[in-house]
Amino acid sequence: MLGGSSDIGRAAARAFAKTGYDVGLAGRDVAVLEPDAADLHARYEIEASLYKFDVLDTASFDGFVGSLPALPDVVISIIGLLGVQPSAESDLAHATTIMRPNYEGPSLILGLRLSSAMRSSQRSRRRPTSSMSVANGAS
């Protein structure tokens, strides 16, 4: 859960944990996530891992992905900043402040880093295709 300390992140983590999934909670302040992880572990007997993640610190994305013991089956991003719409329509700095955590950061971590790592992982787990099946598939 990217943004695991939000109310929606907590609810999503509980829903996954309730069905037996291990969860990873990621946020800017790991200490804030600790009580939630302990609660999930106690209630649902699952592993709840904690990760430091700041969506605005794009230089840390490779390190974040590299710190994961395994790539997740599912990634949920519950990251965002609620701005002031009238200000965002007329103030470029305010619009940028809203767009970076709502669009730019999540797009970069999900689109460039995690999906690339997942594709690489899937390629390394694929069975080689025999030349016979390739030939048969082409006819």
Side-chain angles (χ1 to χ4, degrees), residues 4-76:
S5 62
S6 69
D7 289 341
I8 296 170
R10 288 180 173 115
R14 277 193 303 276
F16 274 86
K18 189 182 274 188
T19 60
Y21 286 96
D22 292 336
V23 297
L25 303 174
R28 288 184 304 248
D29 187 351
V30 172
V32 170
L33 299 169
E34 287 173 354
D36 294 313
D39 182 64
L40 292 170
H41 178 72
R43 283 180 196 267
Y44 306 112
E45 298 178 354
I46 54 96
E47 290 299 318
S49 305
L50 302 176
Y51 303 96
K52 181 170 178 48
F53 178 74
D54 183 345
V55 72
L56 297 177
D57 184 8
T58 56
S60 71
F61 286 5
D62 287 331
F64 168 72
V65 174
S67 75
L68 300 174
L71 292 174
D73 293 323
V74 175
V75 177
I76 299 176

Side-chain angles (χ1 to χ4, degrees), residues 71-122:
L71 292 174
D73 293 323
V74 175
V75 177
I76 299 176
S77 177
I78 309 137
I79 296 170
L81 175 68
L82 182 62
V84 178
Q85 184 65 31
S87 296
E89 292 172 4
S90 61
D91 180 354
L92 182 60
H94 186 68
T96 301
T97 299
I98 296 168
M99 291 181 80
R100 286 205 65 225
N102 292 354
Y103 176 73
E104 180 184 306
S107 296
L108 292 172
I109 188 67
L110 296 171
L112 294 178
R113 294 299 178 256
L114 285 173
S115 66
S116 174
M118 288 174 158
R119 281 191 304 273
S120 294
S121 174
Q122 289 170 349

